[in-house]
Amino acid sequence: PEGEPGGAARPVLCPVCDAEVSLPPGGVGQLTPDCLAGSRAGAAAGCDLCADGAAAGRCLTCGVRLCPFCCRAHRRQKKTASHAVTELENTKDCNQAWKPLLCPSHPTEELRLFCEQCDQPVCQECVLGRHRQHPYDFTSSVIHRHGDALRKLLKNTQQHMDTLEDVLSQIDNVGSAVRSRAEAVATEICLFASGYVRAIEEHRDRLLKQLEDLKVQKENLLHLQKAQLQQLLLDMRTGVEFTEHLLMSGSDLEILITKGVVSSRLTKLNSVAYSTHPSVDDRIQFSPQERAGQCCGYEVFGAVLNKVVDPARCTLHGEDLHSAHQNQRTGFTLLCNDTMGERMGQGGEAVRVTITHKDKRNCAVKPTVCDNGDGTYCISYSPEEPGLYAVCVCVKGQHVQGSPFALMVKHKFREHQGVFHCCTFCSSGGQKAARCACGGTMPGGYQGCGHGHKGHPGCHHWSCCGQVKESSECLGGPPSDTSPRSSLRTVAL
């Protein structure tokens, strides 16, 4: 097709360089011809006269390529003796050995001119026709300017080619490095994995050994308990059979004679203490998330757990376990132990705590239970109502040691209003009428800092109530004496 409808140019792809080229309105015939292709084909044919030898020169008059033999013959022939024959010394001369390029629009005219406006070679007829008013010049005159522009572009392109070759070389080097590094890392992974597998296998054998030892230990304890109970049962059965036979078959005199021995035997058997439950249980657990330290230099997980919490052996700890203040957050700690009385060392137990008012059924405190993950649990609460509460702490539905217990919630903590000092008399500068809220007096006036006066507790105390503990709650009020000097407020010196 000559073009798209409406005059729109349709692009085509070059089969050599894959570049996109716009198809001229005149169609494929208007595309720029590859003159070098023709020259290469001609060069492959060799001499134009004999077609046997390679072209070594060309006739400037008739434009044919000549081998060395034909060059000499061309000069000797009468018709061509006057022709100028030149030798082809390089590739450029070979290219110049082409036959004259003729105009596609005017096949009889040679392309000797160059249209600057259309940027293409033209012939004399083209200049007189559709290139009439276009600026033009001879090809020999413009070749230097356009050749220099091409050389500049060529140089830039060659620089890019060098850069691309360097980049491609770097890519190849990095690709080789990546492959080498990947092989090295693969070796490291295999070594790591094999070491990890050995560590896991060794840890597995260790766990199985612990499990076997634990099983043997439990079985031995059960066998021992079973043997003891079987012997006790046999002794009791023998005593019972003998006693039943005596009571059923013996005479009154025989019964009375053997009564003491039989009673002593049965009494002794009845006094033997024995457990009504198996000495051990079947609680053996495996915790895959449990950290098990290191094995062969690798951190491993998984442990056989034998410890079972015993609510009766769990204990409660706290300074103010049985007392608290209104609207003040306080709490205590639950320490979980196993059946042997040893600390569990791990959390996850079902701990339930209830705090209820003994007088107000609808008044309860919602506690917060925090699992520390080491067998201890922090229970905190903030009571809103004062009064007596009952606190129940259960583990797996059973009360722990000391539960339930009573909790007295006092009114809001009363802050001290006085001064924590050695005595009012010293702080007041020895005023005779000064009276300490603790009840102390100083008859006879100020006597120095000996503190030998009546009512002095012998240590620092609060001037408002006489409490000797600095962090204590205030229990008193203002002094009973309302005289101006007796109600003197003092400050610490």
Side-chain angles (χ1 to χ4, degrees):
E2 296 299 326
E4 292 292 330
R10 183 168 63 179
V12 295
L13 294 179
C14 175
V16 178
C17 63
D18 203 28
E20 192 175 271
V21 180
S22 298
L23 193 64
V28 179
Q30 296 295 325
L31 289 173
T32 302
D34 186 1
C35 302
L36 295 179
S39 68
R40 286 193 297 270
C47 181
D48 290 337
L49 297 181
C50 65
D52 292 333
R58 74 181 181 93
C59 179
L60 300 179
T61 304
C62 56
V64 296
R65 290 184 297 273
L66 304 170
C67 65
F69 178 79
C70 291
C71 283
R72 292 192 295 271
H74 202 67
R75 292 191 182 97
R76 288 196 299 267
Q77 291 180 3
K78 184 180 295 185
K79 292 183 179 181
T80 59
S82 61
H83 291 188
V85 178
T86 182
E87 295 182 0
L88 302 179
E89 297 178 356
N90 47 41
T91 304
K92 183 176 181 180
D93 293 334
C94 292
N95 294 337
Q96 292 175 351
W98 295 346
K99 294 181 180 180
L101 295 178
L102 303 179
C103 178
S105 302
H106 308 90
T108 59
E109 296 291 331
E110 185 178 355
L111 297 173
R112 296 178 178 276
L113 303 175
F114 186 81
C115 180
E116 297 288 354
Q117 181 173 336
C118 299
D119 195 31
Q120 65 179 23
V122 293
C123 67
Q124 187 67 32
E125 294 293 333
C126 293
V127 171
L128 298 177
R130 58 191 180 94
H131 297 275
R132 176 174 299 176
Q133 295 182 351
H134 294 181
Y136 67 93
D137 199 348
F138 287 99
T139 55
S140 60
S141 300
V142 300
I143 186 60
H144 300 289
R145 176 163 49 87
H146 290 282
D148 291 342
L150 283 177
R151 292 185 187 90
K152 185 176 181 180
L153 289 174
L154 176 62
K155 184 177 180 181
N156 293 336
T157 306
Q158 289 174 340
Q159 292 177 352
H160 286 295
M161 290 176 59
D162 295 339
T163 303
L164 289 174
E165 289 177 353
D166 292 341
V167 173
L168 290 174
S169 177
Q170 293 178 14
I171 290 175
D172 292 338
N173 294 336
V174 173
S176 301
V178 167
R179 288 189 293 271
S180 301
R181 185 56 186 160
E183 293 176 358
V185 173
T187 304
E188 293 179 6
I189 292 174
C190 293
L191 292 175
F192 170 80
S194 60
Y196 210 166
V197 170
R198 288 195 302 270
I200 293 176
E201 291 176 347
E202 183 174 336
H203 183 53
R204 175 202 61 194
D205 297 339
R206 184 189 304 172
L207 291 175
L208 293 177
K209 180 65 168 56
Q210 293 177 1
L211 180 61
E212 181 66 22
D213 294 342
L214 182 59
K215 183 194 73 170
V216 172
Q217 179 184 3
K218 287 180 175 288
E219 288 178 344
N220 291 340
L221 292 176
L222 290 175
H223 287 324
L224 177 61
Q225 184 184 17
K226 182 178 180 180
Q228 293 174 346
L229 294 180
Q230 285 177 340
Q231 183 63 44
L232 180 60
L233 178 61
L234 179 61
D235 295 342
M236 287 185 175
R237 182 178 289 115
T238 301
V240 168
E241 290 176 355
F242 181 83
T243 304
E244 289 178 346
H245 179 71
L246 176 65
L247 293 176
M248 292 179 60
S249 304
S251 62
D252 295 342
L253 183 59
E254 292 175 340
I255 293 175
L256 293 175
I257 291 174
T258 57
K259 174 186 72 67
V261 177
V262 173
S263 298
S264 175
R265 178 60 176 167
L266 294 178
T267 300
K268 185 176 180 180
L269 291 175
N270 290 335
S271 63
V272 175
Y274 59 91
S275 175
T276 58
H277 302 284
S279 58
V280 296
D281 51 40
D282 61 345
R283 298 179 183 177
I284 302 177
Q285 298 177 351
F286 174 68
S287 176
Q289 294 84 14
E290 191 79 14
R291 292 183 178 271
Q294 288 193 349
C295 184
C296 299
Y298 296 87
E299 185 177 7
V300 292
F301 295 83
V304 177
L305 304 180
N306 179 39
K307 290 186 176 182
V308 179
V309 65
D310 186 358
R313 294 181 179 271
C314 298
T315 56
L316 300 173
H317 304 271
E319 294 183 359
D320 298 326
L321 190 62
H322 300 280
S323 62
H325 287 86
Q326 181 184 6
N327 296 328
Q328 182 177 352
R329 180 158 290 277
T330 185
F332 54 91
T333 302
L334 167 65
L335 176 59
C336 290
N337 299 318
D338 61 3
T339 54
M340 303 299 293
E342 297 180 356
R343 184 169 172 176
M344 288 294 295
Q346 61 184 11
E349 303 296 341
V351 179
R352 182 172 177 268
V353 181
T354 59
I355 305 176
T356 56
H357 202 292
K358 287 193 173 183
D359 297 330
K360 300 178 182 179
R361 296 182 179 179
N362 297 330
C363 181
V365 179
K366 185 177 181 181
T368 301
V369 180
C370 179
D371 187 351
N372 297 325
D374 58 355
T376 62
Y377 300 81
C378 293
I379 295 94
S380 59
Y381 59 92
S382 179
E384 297 181 355
E385 294 290 336
L388 187 63
Y389 287 78
V391 182
C392 297
V393 181
C394 298
V395 176
K396 292 186 176 180
Q398 301 180 26
H399 285 279
V400 301
Q401 190 179 133
S403 175
F405 62 89
L407 170 66
M408 175 58 68
V409 177
K410 303 177 183 179
H411 287 276
K412 189 175 181 181
F413 191 84
R414 187 174 180 183
E415 300 289 344
H416 289 282
Q417 301 298 321
V419 180
F420 189 71
H421 59 183
C422 60
C423 71
T424 302
F425 312 110
C426 296
S427 299
S428 66
Q431 297 184 21
K432 296 181 180 180
R435 178 188 298 274
C436 185
C438 64
T441 59
M442 192 174 68
Y446 177 61
Q447 299 179 1
C449 294
H451 308 301
H453 46 268
K454 179 182 178 182
H456 185 263
C459 60
H460 280 69
H461 59 282
W462 285 101
S463 63
C464 51
C465 63
Q467 289 281 352
V468 297
K469 188 176 181 181
E470 187 174 5
S471 60
S472 62
E473 182 181 8
C474 185
L475 302 178
S480 57
D481 193 344
T482 58
S483 62
R485 295 182 66 83
S486 63
S487 59
L488 178 67
R489 292 290 181 179
T490 61
V491 295
L493 295 176

